[in-house]
Amino acid sequence: MDPLKALADAERKPYWLDSPARPEPQPRLFGHTTADLVVVGGGFTGLWTALMAKERDPSLDVVLLEGRRIGWAATGRNGGFCMATLTHGLANGLERWPEEIDRLERMGVENLDEIERTLERHGIDCSFERTGELHVATEDWQLDGLNEHLDLISDLGLDYVPLDQEQVRAEVNSPTYLGGLWERSGCAMLDPARLAWGLREACLRLGVRVHERTPVRSLADDGTTITLRTPYGAVGARHVALGTGVFPPLLRRLKHFVVPVYDYALMTEPLTGAQLDTVGWRNRQGVGDSGNQFHYYRLTDDNRILWGGYDAVYYNGGLVKPEYDQRDETFVKLARHFYDTFPQLDGVRFTHRWGGVIDTCSRFSAFYGQAHGGRLAYAAGYTGMGVGATRFGANVMLDLLSGKPTDRTELRMVKEKPMPFPPEPVRSGVIQFTRWSIAQADQHQGRRNLWLRALDRMGLGFDS
Ligand SMILES: Cc1cc2nc3c(=O)[nH]c(=O)nc-3n(C[C@H](O)[C@H](O)[C@H](O)COP(=O)(O)OP(=O)(O)OC[C@H]3O[C@@H](n4cnc5c(N)ncnc54)[C@H](O)[C@@H]3O)c2cc1C
């Protein structure tokens, strides 16, 4: 189908947020107040932090301040792949923290298990389905990569099933697939906006005071109290947790470590039973292909297909702007790739198209830290894999603020920081050249040029 025709009626807004289940905003903060803990940011990081702070100590007075609406940013726009990995995948973790990888993998699975238990405990319905993820190869060089991955996995005793061409097509029927790997338990599919709203509800029930449309403008510290100023008020607190993602940071040092990378997605109309039968997909896994520029796709609870990824765009200057949420060039490309992958779905149209901004750091997995004498903690840099890992990041922040070492705070992964990005305009030049090199590698059987190999040796890169 002509992509332009297929996109003609697609709404320019995130599918998940375009829902009657979206709750009315909580009131703005007016006036001055105090709290034991202030959480800044109403995405997954902030919501998990506020919720778990109350679960750890119900007597704690917790305030959550969100500049716009709960879950409006990356949290409400993502693919909804809730993964166990805390390290942006096993290979990245193994390369950086080989001596910790067993622990990191175990903690990641425990984190995902705990997410599942929290949903049950608080009655949060976000269509959580622990289907796992299917990694598919669409070119021979990608098969080599999957086989290498399989060797590593077998050594670590993880639950992966290798699939040859026939087997992978029996799972999800695409003529482009050459083979695959089904990671069976390390990933769940969910509706991210409904998770965010459910966490908000749980926070409110436990007594967290949530203020939406309340951006924190500044932060001042008199040595015992940190005061956060908002347009019509202020909160003074002993402890502060920042879950502000990629947005202009309240702590200046963070701007060196995180860059905004835009990622885009489409949503189809619901498939009919007959259309779904042509694809199979009875086990409803999330699917990711294995190029450096990759697509991720999945079914929703009403059998639409979310189709996203491939282009990861850094706009020169590194700004976050509402107009960047739409990129027609990418939408057309994504639509074309969709029909290449599923020619049997020719005629299926798209109902939504949107983009969102990812907090990319040079090590691809979140980093953590403290400031103001240990009374402020932060977690950021999830680089496109934060749906599950934000809960771990929230736990790290609460551990750090408690002042007591834990299994989490003792990890090298938690103690170390990523390499900072160079300042602009060098930053834009380096990132655009790296993006170009990555696209070239995908067009030349995965062969990495000198630049990418140099970055690999330094443990640096660009990803989404
Ligand atoms: C298109 C897309 C697809 C993705 N797909 C996946 C996926 O399938 N799986 C996965 O694991 N990850 C995915 N991700 C990444 C994932 O969504 C993020 O890692 C995660 O949502 C990060 O949550 P967060 O709370 O840290 O940040 P955000 O969701 O960005 O929330 C930060 C919040 O802080 C608020 N804020 C910032 N500054 C202030 C301030 N000064 N005062 C008050 N509030 C402030 C913002 O308004 C915002 O609401 C995707 C991301 C995108 C954009």
Side-chain angles (χ1 to χ4, degrees), residues 40-46 65-69 72-75 77-81 83 214-216 243-245 247 250 263-264 296 356-359 382 384-388 390:
V40 188
F44 286 140
T45 302
L65 302 176
E66 162 53 46
R68 291 176 63 171
R69 297 281 298 276
W72 76 274
T75 289
R77 291 160 190 256
N78 58 65
F81 286 54
M83 288 180 260
T214 303
V216 176
T244 52
F247 298 94
L250 292 162
D263 190 42
Y264 297 91
Y296 54 87
V357 61
I358 282 174
D359 54 338
Y382 295 96
M385 285 199 196
V387 173
T390 41

mmCIF file of all heavy atoms in Angstrom, residues 40-46 65-69 72-75 77-81 83 214-216 243-245 247 250 263-264 296 356-359 382 384-388 390, ligand 1:
data_model
loop_
_atom_site.group_PDB
_atom_site.id
_atom_site.type_symbol
_atom_site.label_atom_id
_atom_site.label_comp_id
_atom_site.label_asym_id
_atom_site.label_seq_id
_atom_site.Cartn_x
_atom_site.Cartn_y
_atom_site.Cartn_z
ATOM 1 N N VAL A 40 11.013 14.908 41.808
ATOM 2 C CA VAL A 40 10.759 15.781 40.656
ATOM 3 C C VAL A 40 10.680 14.908 39.411
ATOM 4 O O VAL A 40 11.618 14.171 39.092
ATOM 5 C CB VAL A 40 11.860 16.843 40.482
ATOM 6 C CG1 VAL A 40 11.442 17.849 39.400
ATOM 7 C CG2 VAL A 40 12.143 17.559 41.789
ATOM 8 N N GLY A 41 9.537 15.012 38.697
ATOM 9 C CA GLY A 41 9.336 14.243 37.472
ATOM 10 C C GLY A 41 8.268 13.186 37.662
ATOM 11 O O GLY A 41 8.348 12.353 38.566
ATOM 12 N N GLY A 42 7.254 13.235 36.796
ATOM 13 C CA GLY A 42 6.146 12.278 36.876
ATOM 14 C C GLY A 42 6.179 11.283 35.734
ATOM 15 O O GLY A 42 5.144 10.908 35.185
ATOM 16 N N GLY A 43 7.390 10.850 35.349
ATOM 17 C CA GLY A 43 7.529 9.694 34.461
ATOM 18 C C GLY A 43 7.722 8.456 35.328
ATOM 19 O O GLY A 43 7.522 8.497 36.555
ATOM 20 N N PHE A 44 8.121 7.352 34.685
ATOM 21 C CA PHE A 44 8.282 6.115 35.462
ATOM 22 C C PHE A 44 9.283 6.283 36.615
ATOM 23 O O PHE A 44 9.069 5.777 37.709
ATOM 24 C CB PHE A 44 8.752 4.973 34.563
ATOM 25 C CG PHE A 44 7.682 4.420 33.663
ATOM 26 C CD1 PHE A 44 7.971 4.076 32.351
ATOM 27 C CD2 PHE A 44 6.386 4.225 34.120
ATOM 28 C CE1 PHE A 44 6.996 3.557 31.506
ATOM 29 C CE2 PHE A 44 5.399 3.715 33.291
ATOM 30 C CZ PHE A 44 5.706 3.374 31.983
ATOM 31 N N THR A 45 10.397 6.985 36.357
ATOM 32 C CA THR A 45 11.415 7.100 37.407
ATOM 33 C C THR A 45 10.818 7.763 38.647
ATOM 34 O O THR A 45 10.958 7.265 39.770
ATOM 35 C CB THR A 45 12.631 7.920 36.907
ATOM 36 O OG1 THR A 45 13.163 7.275 35.751
ATOM 37 C CG2 THR A 45 13.714 8.011 37.966
ATOM 38 N N GLY A 46 10.141 8.901 38.437
ATOM 39 C CA GLY A 46 9.587 9.625 39.574
ATOM 40 C C GLY A 46 8.461 8.856 40.252
ATOM 41 O O GLY A 46 8.372 8.811 41.483
ATOM 42 N N LEU A 65 6.388 16.381 42.093
ATOM 43 C CA LEU A 65 6.122 17.554 41.257
ATOM 44 C C LEU A 65 6.380 17.202 39.796
ATOM 45 O O LEU A 65 7.485 16.769 39.442
ATOM 46 C CB LEU A 65 7.053 18.709 41.658
ATOM 47 C CG LEU A 65 6.970 19.168 43.119
ATOM 48 C CD1 LEU A 65 8.018 20.251 43.396
ATOM 49 C CD2 LEU A 65 5.572 19.701 43.453
ATOM 50 N N GLU A 66 5.368 17.372 38.969
ATOM 51 C CA GLU A 66 5.503 17.096 37.529
ATOM 52 C C GLU A 66 5.213 18.389 36.755
ATOM 53 O O GLU A 66 4.172 19.014 36.961
ATOM 54 C CB GLU A 66 4.543 15.970 37.119
ATOM 55 C CG GLU A 66 4.257 15.867 35.629
ATOM 56 C CD GLU A 66 5.500 15.787 34.733
ATOM 57 O OE1 GLU A 66 6.412 15.011 35.067
ATOM 58 O OE2 GLU A 66 5.556 16.513 33.717
ATOM 59 N N GLY A 67 6.136 18.740 35.854
ATOM 60 C CA GLY A 67 6.027 20.004 35.120
ATOM 61 C C GLY A 67 4.825 20.063 34.192
ATOM 62 O O GLY A 67 4.265 21.136 33.961
ATOM 63 N N ARG A 68 4.441 18.927 33.629
ATOM 64 C CA ARG A 68 3.292 18.934 32.711
ATOM 65 C C ARG A 68 2.250 17.943 33.212
ATOM 66 O O ARG A 68 1.604 18.207 34.193
ATOM 67 C CB ARG A 68 3.765 18.648 31.291
ATOM 68 C CG ARG A 68 4.599 19.851 30.782
ATOM 69 C CD ARG A 68 5.201 19.643 29.432
ATOM 70 N NE ARG A 68 4.195 19.482 28.395
ATOM 71 C CZ ARG A 68 4.464 19.452 27.094
ATOM 72 N NH1 ARG A 68 5.706 19.587 26.683
ATOM 73 N NH2 ARG A 68 3.511 19.280 26.207
ATOM 74 N N ARG A 69 2.100 16.807 32.528
ATOM 75 C CA ARG A 69 1.131 15.804 32.980
ATOM 76 C C ARG A 69 1.883 14.511 33.269
ATOM 77 O O ARG A 69 2.892 14.213 32.622
ATOM 78 C CB ARG A 69 0.095 15.555 31.886
ATOM 79 C CG ARG A 69 -0.754 16.773 31.542
ATOM 80 C CD ARG A 69 -1.852 17.015 32.546
ATOM 81 N NE ARG A 69 -2.801 15.902 32.599
ATOM 82 C CZ ARG A 69 -3.842 15.749 31.766
ATOM 83 N NH1 ARG A 69 -4.071 16.635 30.816
ATOM 84 N NH2 ARG A 69 -4.666 14.721 31.901
ATOM 85 N N TRP A 72 3.460 12.115 30.315
ATOM 86 C CA TRP A 72 3.278 12.708 28.979
ATOM 87 C C TRP A 72 4.509 12.509 28.093
ATOM 88 O O TRP A 72 4.385 12.504 26.869
ATOM 89 C CB TRP A 72 2.990 14.215 29.073
ATOM 90 C CG TRP A 72 4.235 15.005 29.387
ATOM 91 C CD1 TRP A 72 4.738 15.254 30.631
ATOM 92 C CD2 TRP A 72 5.152 15.585 28.459
ATOM 93 N NE1 TRP A 72 5.913 15.955 30.541
ATOM 94 C CE2 TRP A 72 6.192 16.173 29.214
ATOM 95 C CE3 TRP A 72 5.210 15.673 27.067
ATOM 96 C CZ2 TRP A 72 7.281 16.837 28.624
ATOM 97 C CZ3 TRP A 72 6.291 16.330 26.480
ATOM 98 C CH2 TRP A 72 7.311 16.907 27.249
ATOM 99 N N ALA A 73 5.682 12.330 28.701
ATOM 100 C CA ALA A 73 6.937 12.302 27.924
ATOM 101 C C ALA A 73 7.259 10.858 27.515
ATOM 102 O O ALA A 73 6.331 10.108 27.164
ATOM 103 C CB ALA A 73 8.047 12.948 28.740
ATOM 104 N N ALA A 74 8.521 10.478 27.537
ATOM 105 C CA ALA A 74 8.905 9.133 27.064
ATOM 106 C C ALA A 74 8.031 8.050 27.696
ATOM 107 O O ALA A 74 7.631 7.077 27.040
ATOM 108 C CB ALA A 74 10.375 8.873 27.388
ATOM 109 N N THR A 75 7.689 8.249 28.968
ATOM 110 C CA THR A 75 6.927 7.249 29.712
ATOM 111 C C THR A 75 5.596 6.884 29.044
ATOM 112 O O THR A 75 5.190 5.721 29.081
ATOM 113 C CB THR A 75 6.721 7.768 31.157
ATOM 114 O OG1 THR A 75 7.994 7.696 31.803
ATOM 115 C CG2 THR A 75 5.680 7.005 31.930
ATOM 116 N N ARG A 77 4.929 7.288 25.752
ATOM 117 C CA ARG A 77 5.062 7.228 24.283
ATOM 118 C C ARG A 77 5.838 6.021 23.803
ATOM 119 O O ARG A 77 6.163 5.920 22.619
ATOM 120 C CB ARG A 77 5.883 8.447 23.809
ATOM 121 C CG ARG A 77 5.167 9.721 23.967
ATOM 122 C CD ARG A 77 6.129 10.904 23.955
ATOM 123 N NE ARG A 77 5.375 12.058 24.346
ATOM 124 C CZ ARG A 77 4.945 13.000 23.510
ATOM 125 N NH1 ARG A 77 5.274 12.955 22.260
ATOM 126 N NH2 ARG A 77 4.213 13.991 23.950
ATOM 127 N N ASN A 78 6.231 5.147 24.707
ATOM 128 C CA ASN A 78 7.207 4.129 24.299
ATOM 129 C C ASN A 78 6.538 2.886 23.719
ATOM 130 O O ASN A 78 5.316 2.792 23.614
ATOM 131 C CB ASN A 78 8.116 3.789 25.483
ATOM 132 C CG ASN A 78 7.342 3.300 26.671
ATOM 133 O OD1 ASN A 78 6.727 2.251 26.608
ATOM 134 N ND2 ASN A 78 7.347 4.075 27.750
ATOM 135 N N GLY A 79 7.396 1.900 23.385
ATOM 136 C CA GLY A 79 6.900 0.669 22.791
ATOM 137 C C GLY A 79 6.244 -0.258 23.809
ATOM 138 O O GLY A 79 5.597 -1.232 23.429
ATOM 139 N N GLY A 80 6.447 0.014 25.086
ATOM 140 C CA GLY A 80 5.863 -0.841 26.118
ATOM 141 C C GLY A 80 6.565 -2.180 26.277
ATOM 142 O O GLY A 80 5.992 -3.122 26.813
ATOM 143 N N PHE A 81 7.827 -2.264 25.830
ATOM 144 C CA PHE A 81 8.631 -3.464 26.094
ATOM 145 C C PHE A 81 9.219 -3.277 27.502
ATOM 146 O O PHE A 81 10.073 -2.410 27.694
ATOM 147 C CB PHE A 81 9.798 -3.589 25.110
ATOM 148 C CG PHE A 81 9.434 -4.008 23.721
ATOM 149 C CD1 PHE A 81 8.483 -3.333 22.985
ATOM 150 C CD2 PHE A 81 10.081 -5.085 23.126
ATOM 151 C CE1 PHE A 81 8.158 -3.714 21.690
ATOM 152 C CE2 PHE A 81 9.773 -5.475 21.833
ATOM 153 C CZ PHE A 81 8.810 -4.788 21.111
ATOM 154 N N MET A 83 11.520 -4.640 29.990
ATOM 155 C CA MET A 83 12.573 -5.653 29.937
ATOM 156 C C MET A 83 13.265 -5.846 31.273
ATOM 157 O O MET A 83 13.370 -4.912 32.071
ATOM 158 C CB MET A 83 13.588 -5.231 28.887
ATOM 159 C CG MET A 83 13.005 -5.398 27.493
ATOM 160 S SD MET A 83 14.139 -4.913 26.234
ATOM 161 C CE MET A 83 13.522 -3.307 25.882
ATOM 162 N N THR A 214 3.322 21.625 37.357
ATOM 163 C CA THR A 214 4.101 22.346 38.360
ATOM 164 C C THR A 214 5.602 22.147 38.098
ATOM 165 O O THR A 214 6.255 21.315 38.747
ATOM 166 C CB THR A 214 3.723 21.832 39.790
ATOM 167 O OG1 THR A 214 2.310 22.009 39.971
ATOM 168 C CG2 THR A 214 4.469 22.581 40.870
ATOM 169 N N PRO A 215 6.144 22.884 37.136
ATOM 170 C CA PRO A 215 7.580 22.718 36.853
ATOM 171 C C PRO A 215 8.453 23.306 37.964
ATOM 172 O O PRO A 215 8.140 24.383 38.483
ATOM 173 C CB PRO A 215 7.764 23.509 35.548
ATOM 174 C CG PRO A 215 6.637 24.497 35.516
ATOM 175 C CD PRO A 215 5.489 23.849 36.236
ATOM 176 N N VAL A 216 9.487 22.603 38.305
ATOM 177 C CA VAL A 216 10.450 23.150 39.271
ATOM 178 C C VAL A 216 11.407 24.052 38.496
ATOM 179 O O VAL A 216 12.041 23.623 37.535
ATOM 180 C CB VAL A 216 11.221 22.018 39.978
ATOM 181 C CG1 VAL A 216 12.280 22.603 40.892
ATOM 182 C CG2 VAL A 216 10.255 21.134 40.752
ATOM 183 N N GLY A 243 13.925 12.668 38.843
ATOM 184 C CA GLY A 243 13.615 11.715 37.762
ATOM 185 C C GLY A 243 13.182 12.528 36.559
ATOM 186 O O GLY A 243 12.093 12.343 36.039
ATOM 187 N N THR A 244 14.055 13.452 36.135
ATOM 188 C CA THR A 244 13.657 14.450 35.136
ATOM 189 C C THR A 244 14.097 14.096 33.721
ATOM 190 O O THR A 244 13.974 14.920 32.808
ATOM 191 C CB THR A 244 14.208 15.845 35.526
ATOM 192 O OG1 THR A 244 15.614 15.718 35.766
ATOM 193 C CG2 THR A 244 13.534 16.369 36.773
ATOM 194 N N GLY A 245 14.625 12.895 33.543
ATOM 195 C CA GLY A 245 14.927 12.398 32.203
ATOM 196 C C GLY A 245 15.885 13.300 31.448
ATOM 197 O O GLY A 245 16.905 13.739 31.982
ATOM 198 N N PHE A 247 15.259 16.285 30.179
ATOM 199 C CA PHE A 247 14.896 17.708 30.164
ATOM 200 C C PHE A 247 15.970 18.548 30.859
ATOM 201 O O PHE A 247 16.748 18.011 31.635
ATOM 202 C CB PHE A 247 13.516 17.879 30.809
ATOM 203 C CG PHE A 247 12.479 17.140 30.016
ATOM 204 C CD1 PHE A 247 12.119 15.843 30.354
ATOM 205 C CD2 PHE A 247 11.937 17.708 28.882
ATOM 206 C CE1 PHE A 247 11.210 15.134 29.589
ATOM 207 C CE2 PHE A 247 11.025 17.006 28.104
ATOM 208 C CZ PHE A 247 10.658 15.721 28.458
ATOM 209 N N LEU A 250 18.067 20.160 36.663
ATOM 210 C CA LEU A 250 18.166 21.073 37.808
ATOM 211 C C LEU A 250 19.566 20.990 38.411
ATOM 212 O O LEU A 250 19.957 21.851 39.193
ATOM 213 C CB LEU A 250 17.115 20.698 38.855
ATOM 214 C CG LEU A 250 15.680 20.957 38.382
ATOM 215 C CD1 LEU A 250 14.668 20.184 39.215
ATOM 216 C CD2 LEU A 250 15.379 22.459 38.419
ATOM 217 N N ASP A 263 12.905 9.208 18.815
ATOM 218 C CA ASP A 263 12.532 7.902 18.294
ATOM 219 C C ASP A 263 11.055 7.992 17.895
ATOM 220 O O ASP A 263 10.287 8.693 18.553
ATOM 221 C CB ASP A 263 12.724 6.877 19.431
ATOM 222 C CG ASP A 263 12.594 5.455 18.949
ATOM 223 O OD1 ASP A 263 13.116 5.148 17.871
ATOM 224 O OD2 ASP A 263 11.975 4.640 19.666
ATOM 225 N N TYR A 264 10.674 7.274 16.823
ATOM 226 C CA TYR A 264 9.325 7.451 16.257
ATOM 227 C C TYR A 264 8.593 6.123 16.136
ATOM 228 O O TYR A 264 9.229 5.065 15.995
ATOM 229 C CB TYR A 264 9.442 8.124 14.886
ATOM 230 C CG TYR A 264 10.031 9.506 15.003
ATOM 231 C CD1 TYR A 264 11.418 9.709 14.914
ATOM 232 C CD2 TYR A 264 9.221 10.600 15.269
ATOM 233 C CE1 TYR A 264 11.967 10.976 15.062
ATOM 234 C CE2 TYR A 264 9.761 11.874 15.416
ATOM 235 C CZ TYR A 264 11.133 12.051 15.316
ATOM 236 O OH TYR A 264 11.665 13.309 15.481
ATOM 237 N N TYR A 296 11.301 -2.135 16.383
ATOM 238 C CA TYR A 296 10.667 -2.916 17.449
ATOM 239 C C TYR A 296 9.177 -2.907 17.166
ATOM 240 O O TYR A 296 8.637 -1.910 16.680
ATOM 241 C CB TYR A 296 10.992 -2.350 18.849
ATOM 242 C CG TYR A 296 10.679 -0.889 19.027
ATOM 243 C CD1 TYR A 296 9.422 -0.461 19.428
ATOM 244 C CD2 TYR A 296 11.628 0.093 18.769
ATOM 245 C CE1 TYR A 296 9.116 0.878 19.576
ATOM 246 C CE2 TYR A 296 11.339 1.446 18.912
ATOM 247 C CZ TYR A 296 10.088 1.828 19.318
ATOM 248 O OH TYR A 296 9.780 3.163 19.458
ATOM 249 N N GLY A 356 9.023 10.635 20.337
ATOM 250 C CA GLY A 356 9.309 10.956 21.726
ATOM 251 C C GLY A 356 10.806 11.037 21.904
ATOM 252 O O GLY A 356 11.572 10.601 21.041
ATOM 253 N N VAL A 357 11.176 11.601 23.034
ATOM 254 C CA VAL A 357 12.603 11.858 23.226
ATOM 255 C C VAL A 357 13.186 10.914 24.277
ATOM 256 O O VAL A 357 12.593 10.667 25.317
ATOM 257 C CB VAL A 357 12.842 13.355 23.532
ATOM 258 C CG1 VAL A 357 12.153 13.815 24.773
ATOM 259 C CG2 VAL A 357 14.319 13.679 23.564
ATOM 260 N N ILE A 358 14.347 10.387 23.918
ATOM 261 C CA ILE A 358 15.042 9.385 24.727
ATOM 262 C C ILE A 358 16.253 10.038 25.391
ATOM 263 O O ILE A 358 16.937 10.843 24.760
ATOM 264 C CB ILE A 358 15.478 8.230 23.793
ATOM 265 C CG1 ILE A 358 14.282 7.334 23.495
ATOM 266 C CG2 ILE A 358 16.641 7.445 24.353
ATOM 267 C CD1 ILE A 358 14.567 6.257 22.473
ATOM 268 N N ASP A 359 16.507 9.685 26.646
ATOM 269 C CA ASP A 359 17.686 10.225 27.356
ATOM 270 C C ASP A 359 18.881 9.292 27.135
ATOM 271 O O ASP A 359 19.116 8.357 27.879
ATOM 272 C CB ASP A 359 17.387 10.383 28.856
ATOM 273 C CG ASP A 359 16.873 9.117 29.514
ATOM 274 O OD1 ASP A 359 16.350 8.235 28.795
ATOM 275 O OD2 ASP A 359 17.002 8.982 30.746
ATOM 276 N N TYR A 382 18.623 6.186 30.540
ATOM 277 C CA TYR A 382 18.144 4.815 30.259
ATOM 278 C C TYR A 382 18.266 4.429 28.784
ATOM 279 O O TYR A 382 18.134 3.260 28.433
ATOM 280 C CB TYR A 382 16.686 4.662 30.712
ATOM 281 C CG TYR A 382 16.516 4.793 32.205
ATOM 282 C CD1 TYR A 382 16.155 6.004 32.783
ATOM 283 C CD2 TYR A 382 16.742 3.713 33.044
ATOM 284 C CE1 TYR A 382 16.020 6.135 34.154
ATOM 285 C CE2 TYR A 382 16.607 3.840 34.412
ATOM 286 C CZ TYR A 382 16.246 5.051 34.959
ATOM 287 O OH TYR A 382 16.107 5.173 36.311
ATOM 288 N N GLY A 384 16.505 4.480 25.964
ATOM 289 C CA GLY A 384 15.522 3.686 25.224
ATOM 290 C C GLY A 384 15.165 2.359 25.856
ATOM 291 O O GLY A 384 14.447 1.569 25.241
ATOM 292 N N MET A 385 15.656 2.084 27.047
ATOM 293 C CA MET A 385 15.245 0.842 27.713
ATOM 294 C C MET A 385 14.943 1.110 29.188
ATOM 295 O O MET A 385 15.532 0.509 30.085
ATOM 296 C CB MET A 385 16.328 -0.233 27.591
ATOM 297 C CG MET A 385 16.401 -0.836 26.213
ATOM 298 S SD MET A 385 17.234 -2.415 26.215
ATOM 299 C CE MET A 385 17.563 -2.603 24.474
ATOM 300 N N GLY A 386 14.000 2.011 29.405
ATOM 301 C CA GLY A 386 13.735 2.399 30.783
ATOM 302 C C GLY A 386 12.408 1.933 31.348
ATOM 303 O O GLY A 386 12.114 2.210 32.508
ATOM 304 N N VAL A 387 11.600 1.231 30.563
ATOM 305 C CA VAL A 387 10.275 0.884 31.091
ATOM 306 C C VAL A 387 10.417 0.021 32.350
ATOM 307 O O VAL A 387 9.771 0.272 33.358
ATOM 308 C CB VAL A 387 9.414 0.192 30.011
ATOM 309 C CG1 VAL A 387 8.103 -0.319 30.592
ATOM 310 C CG2 VAL A 387 9.122 1.169 28.872
ATOM 311 N N GLY A 388 11.302 -0.957 32.297
ATOM 312 C CA GLY A 388 11.539 -1.785 33.484
ATOM 313 C C GLY A 388 12.626 -1.200 34.375
ATOM 314 O O GLY A 388 12.499 -1.143 35.604
ATOM 315 N N THR A 390 13.638 1.700 35.097
ATOM 316 C CA THR A 390 13.375 2.879 35.929
ATOM 317 C C THR A 390 13.002 2.477 37.359
ATOM 318 O O THR A 390 13.293 3.200 38.297
ATOM 319 C CB THR A 390 12.244 3.739 35.330
ATOM 320 O OG1 THR A 390 11.223 2.862 34.850
ATOM 321 C CG2 THR A 390 12.744 4.604 34.195
HETATM 322 C C1 LIG B 1 9.348 6.404 21.163
HETATM 323 C C2 LIG B 1 9.970 5.739 22.369
HETATM 324 C C3 LIG B 1 9.949 4.343 22.472
HETATM 325 C C4 LIG B 1 10.507 3.710 23.586
HETATM 326 N N1 LIG B 1 10.348 2.359 23.729
HETATM 327 C C5 LIG B 1 10.770 1.751 24.862
HETATM 328 C C6 LIG B 1 10.482 0.387 25.099
HETATM 329 O O1 LIG B 1 9.752 -0.261 24.342
HETATM 330 N N2 LIG B 1 11.003 -0.187 26.216
HETATM 331 C C7 LIG B 1 11.757 0.511 27.104
HETATM 332 O O2 LIG B 1 12.228 -0.075 28.089
HETATM 333 N N3 LIG B 1 11.978 1.837 26.945
HETATM 334 C C8 LIG B 1 11.483 2.474 25.867
HETATM 335 N N4 LIG B 1 11.657 3.814 25.727
HETATM 336 C C9 LIG B 1 12.338 4.561 26.813
HETATM 337 C C10 LIG B 1 11.441 4.747 28.038
HETATM 338 O O3 LIG B 1 10.211 5.290 27.641
HETATM 339 C C11 LIG B 1 12.162 5.683 29.022
HETATM 340 O O4 LIG B 1 13.421 5.116 29.343
HETATM 341 C C12 LIG B 1 11.406 5.922 30.317
HETATM 342 O O5 LIG B 1 10.077 6.253 30.083
HETATM 343 C C13 LIG B 1 12.101 7.023 31.103
HETATM 344 O O6 LIG B 1 11.265 7.446 32.149
HETATM 345 P P1 LIG B 1 11.672 8.716 33.002
HETATM 346 O O7 LIG B 1 10.677 8.871 34.068
HETATM 347 O O8 LIG B 1 13.102 8.593 33.431
HETATM 348 O O9 LIG B 1 11.639 9.934 31.984
HETATM 349 P P2 LIG B 1 10.390 10.714 31.319
HETATM 350 O O10 LIG B 1 9.309 9.798 30.928
HETATM 351 O O11 LIG B 1 11.004 11.570 30.265
HETATM 352 O O12 LIG B 1 9.856 11.618 32.491
HETATM 353 C C14 LIG B 1 10.551 12.716 32.980
HETATM 354 C C15 LIG B 1 9.495 13.672 33.562
HETATM 355 O O13 LIG B 1 10.160 14.696 34.297
HETATM 356 C C16 LIG B 1 9.425 15.882 34.117
HETATM 357 N N5 LIG B 1 10.319 17.025 34.414
HETATM 358 C C17 LIG B 1 11.506 17.305 33.846
HETATM 359 N N6 LIG B 1 12.042 18.413 34.389
HETATM 360 C C18 LIG B 1 11.150 18.843 35.328
HETATM 361 C C19 LIG B 1 11.131 19.944 36.221
HETATM 362 N N7 LIG B 1 12.123 20.838 36.259
HETATM 363 N N8 LIG B 1 10.067 20.097 37.035
HETATM 364 C C20 LIG B 1 9.047 19.189 37.029
HETATM 365 N N9 LIG B 1 9.019 18.119 36.182
HETATM 366 C C21 LIG B 1 10.064 17.950 35.356
HETATM 367 C C22 LIG B 1 8.994 15.846 32.661
HETATM 368 O O14 LIG B 1 7.903 16.716 32.425
HETATM 369 C C23 LIG B 1 8.673 14.360 32.479
HETATM 370 O O15 LIG B 1 7.311 14.080 32.707
HETATM 371 C C24 LIG B 1 11.144 4.485 24.612
HETATM 372 C C25 LIG B 1 11.168 5.875 24.505
HETATM 373 C C26 LIG B 1 10.588 6.505 23.404
HETATM 374 C C27 LIG B 1 10.617 8.008 23.331
#
